[in-house]
Every structure is written in C-alpha cells, then in structure tokens.
Amino acid sequence: MYFATYEYKSDQAIGIVLKEEKQMIPLRDIFQAIDRNCPANMNEFISVFDDNMMEEIQSIIKSNKVEAIDINDVKLCAPIPYPKRNLICLGKNYLDHAKETQGLPGGTTEIPKYPIYFSKIANPAVGDGDIILSHRNITEMVDYEVELAIIIGKDGINIEKEEAEDYIFGYTIVNDISARNIQRKHGQWFKGKSMETFCPMGPYIAHKSIIPFPVELDIICKVNQEIRQNSNTKKLIFDIPYIISDLSKGMKLKAGDIIITGTPAGVGLGFKPFKFLNPGDIIECYIEKVGSLTNTFEM
Ligand code: MG
C-alpha cells in the first residue's frame, strides 16, 4: 500500500495510491465509509495507523464504495510536507561514497567506525515535480544525494535490532540536496543541507508490508537521464536495524520521524571536475519498489 499527500482542486489531502490503476483514493472518503474521523494529515495518520486499520482500508477499496481520482489530476506533495522534527541523517554510509569523498577539501580520510549523525531542516519538504531553488547568491556548488528514507511508525526508545522493523511505518525517497561550499565553510553540514527546497521527498510512502526485510533495493540517481548514482541499499555500512537500535539508545524515536540512510557514490562532488547542478537540470531519484522522485533545478 502506498500513501500520499496531494493537492486536488486547491485542497491538500492524504490518500492511497493505486499504482497499477494510476488512481488516488482519498483517505477522507475511506474514513467516512468506516464511520471514523479522518486524520488531518500524514503525521496524524501515521500515529493512529495499525494492522486493523489497514484491513479496513483494504476492504473499503475492494468494495469500490469510494470514488477514485485520476492520478494525473492531482499534484503530489511531499508525503510528509511538514515533518514534526528535523530529519535525522547519516553521512558516509556507503563505502564507495565514503571513499569518493576522501581527500577532498572538507572530507575526512576515514571510513566511519560509528554512524555519522546530523540533522536537516525539512519543514516544508517539497514534492515530486517541484523546483529546487538555486540560492545562487550564496552557492554555485549545489549537489544531489539520492537516499532511502525510513518513516518511523511508533514511539520507541532502546529498541533492539530484532524489533526494529516493528517501529517502521514505511519508506520513501529523499534527495538530500547539499550546498557543498556552505557545508565546508561552517565545518559541519547543518546549514548547507537545510536551505529552502533542499528536501525533495516522495513521490509517496511505500508501507513496510510491500518491502521485504532486510531491505535490499536498487537505488539510482540520474541527472538529465545520465546515471550518476547506481547502487543497492544492501550496501549500507550501518544497516536499518543497526541504525534504529543505535539511534534509539537513550533517545526516543517518535512516530513520523524520518531517518535518511545515506547516499551511494556518484554525487557531483565525487567527479573530477565536479558535476554540480546547473540551471534547468532534471534530477530523477529512483528506488526499487518505492518509486521515482523527479525535480528540476531552478533556471
Ligand atoms: Mg546525505
């Protein structure tokens, strides 16, 4: 099951995406059919969702009681347009990416022994089809990073690796847009990754029930159709159970939290000469079974 936030007739709503049929089923109508109040947004939906609700939703969809919208008639937003907290990010979590950034100005020379955590402001996050602003007055080194994002489904602290999957709601794609000169200038990554529109997210959330665990998915980023990044999430240095267990030691994870798991080799910074984004570039981030997220860099 795929969950989306979308705009239809200038109204923002949450819905179920039927990928094959290319349709959106408004959750508001589904909740009306089961005689419950519809959560106001994706954050609220995640916090009340459980297996029973999934069965109820599935049976309503099968019964054809609810009218679908043609997916071409909606504008997809980031599935969580207003994350409640900053995104939790991992740096250098693919070996080939850790190597490509070795020795570069601002890069360290080591492969991490422990996860590198940092955070990114993504409120609001932008969706599929949206423009990434260039911020040309302060940077000409804007880079792309395709990443698998984990959406946490329930609050938890001191989570064991073996129970990590229980705390996941689903997965989406985040393009961790980064202004490299600003990352370097400030000696840490927070500001260079937190500028307006620097968090394209989507196109929707794939519920965990459709993603086999452990999560081994092809992950690709193309710029103007040229493949720049091409890997598989099985190559994460610190895998998903490790990340959830380690992060949650003494630090509560909350429903709706978003953890982005790092990017593989092939970012613009890894090329000689660099391949940063140019005006009008089209960036497509793809993850198997999750979908495809496409954005244009401001002209
Ligand atoms: Mg990143």
Side-chain angles (χ1 to χ4, degrees):
M1 198 174 274
Y2 293 89
F3 304 98
T5 298
Y6 63 95
E7 269 170 27
Y8 181 64
K9 295 180 177 170
S10 62
D11 183 32
Q12 193 173 83
I14 49 177
I16 308 284
V17 180
L18 305 180
K19 271 173 99 173
E20 306 274 296
E21 296 85 347
K22 298 189 167 28
Q23 288 176 331
M24 182 76 73
I25 313 274
L27 270 165
R28 188 186 292 147
D29 297 349
I30 293 176
F31 276 80
Q32 200 167 25
I34 56 178
D35 209 18
R36 285 207 213 186
N37 289 330
C38 183
N41 53 49
M42 191 66 77
N43 278 324
E44 279 190 25
F45 178 68
I46 290 168
S47 64
V48 297
F49 184 82
D50 59 18
D51 290 347
N52 286 339
M53 190 178 284
M54 182 147 82
E55 279 174 30
E56 282 183 300
I57 291 171
Q58 276 165 338
S59 77
I60 294 290
I61 292 173
K62 275 191 200 131
S63 72
N64 287 320
K65 277 183 200 157
V66 174
E67 213 170 304
I69 305 170
D70 187 322
I71 200 131
N72 294 310
D73 293 339
V74 309
K75 158 76 184 83
L76 288 172
C77 307
I80 304 179
Y82 300 97
K84 283 191 275 191
R85 307 204 289 181
N86 286 359
L87 268 58
I88 302 169
C89 314
L90 276 93
K92 302 192 179 187
N93 198 25
Y94 287 81
L95 193 60
D96 54 359
H97 176 63
K99 283 183 178 163
E100 78 177 339
T101 53
Q102 269 185 10
L104 287 167
T108 66
T109 52
E110 285 174 24
I111 308 302
K113 290 191 187 71
Y114 305 99
I116 299 171
Y117 299 126
F118 60 98
S119 85
K120 174 179 178 91
I121 294 178
N123 186 326
V126 297
D128 184 50
D130 285 336
I131 300 281
I132 299 163
L133 297 176
S134 68
H135 300 283
R136 210 160 288 133
N137 55 329
I138 49 169
T139 180
E140 290 186 339
M141 299 177 79
V142 179
D143 210 345
Y144 50 86
E145 295 189 347
V146 60
E147 306 203 15
L148 177 72
I150 307 164
I151 314 291
I152 295 296
K154 61 177 181 180
D155 295 4
I157 188 165
N158 301 323
I159 300 164
E160 299 293 336
K161 281 188 205 168
E162 297 70 31
E163 29 168 42
E165 195 187 5
D166 296 345
Y167 289 83
I168 297 172
F169 174 74
Y171 305 90
T172 190
I173 305 168
V174 161
N175 189 350
D176 178 20
I177 299 290
S178 308
R180 300 300 188 196
N181 61 317
I182 293 173
Q183 274 182 268
R184 289 173 184 177
K185 182 170 139 190
H186 297 291
Q188 44 70 32
W189 304 345
F190 176 66
K191 188 183 171 189
K193 287 174 176 277
S194 296
M195 285 147 63
E196 289 302 304
T197 70
F198 272 21
C199 190
M201 184 196 300
Y204 19 72
I205 298 172
H207 186 255
K208 66 175 171 186
S209 57
I210 54 173
I211 307 288
F213 210 79
V215 178
E216 299 183 347
L217 304 172
D218 289 338
I219 177 166
I220 293 169
C221 179
K222 294 180 188 173
V223 177
N224 303 329
Q225 294 296 319
E226 176 191 318
I227 295 177
R228 297 280 181 87
Q229 300 182 275
N230 187 1
S231 189
N232 188 287
T233 57
K234 69 183 172 201
K235 294 186 179 171
L236 290 173
I237 297 173
F238 302 102
D239 66 9
I240 291 170
Y242 183 98
I243 293 168
I244 289 179
S245 172
D246 188 59
L247 266 177
S248 73
K249 283 176 187 157
M251 182 180 115
K252 189 184 273 188
L253 294 176
K254 296 187 177 180
D257 276 350
I258 301 164
I259 303 167
I260 63 172
T261 52
T263 201
V267 299
L269 183 71
F271 289 92
K272 282 178 191 166
F274 298 141
K275 288 189 176 181
F276 296 126
L277 293 173
N278 290 306
D281 277 356
I282 295 168
I283 311 104
E284 183 189 350
C285 296
Y286 163 84
I287 297 180
E288 187 186 356
K289 293 190 169 71
V290 181
S292 189
L293 171 70
T294 303
N295 299 90
T296 303
F297 193 57
E298 184 185 14
M299 285 297 286

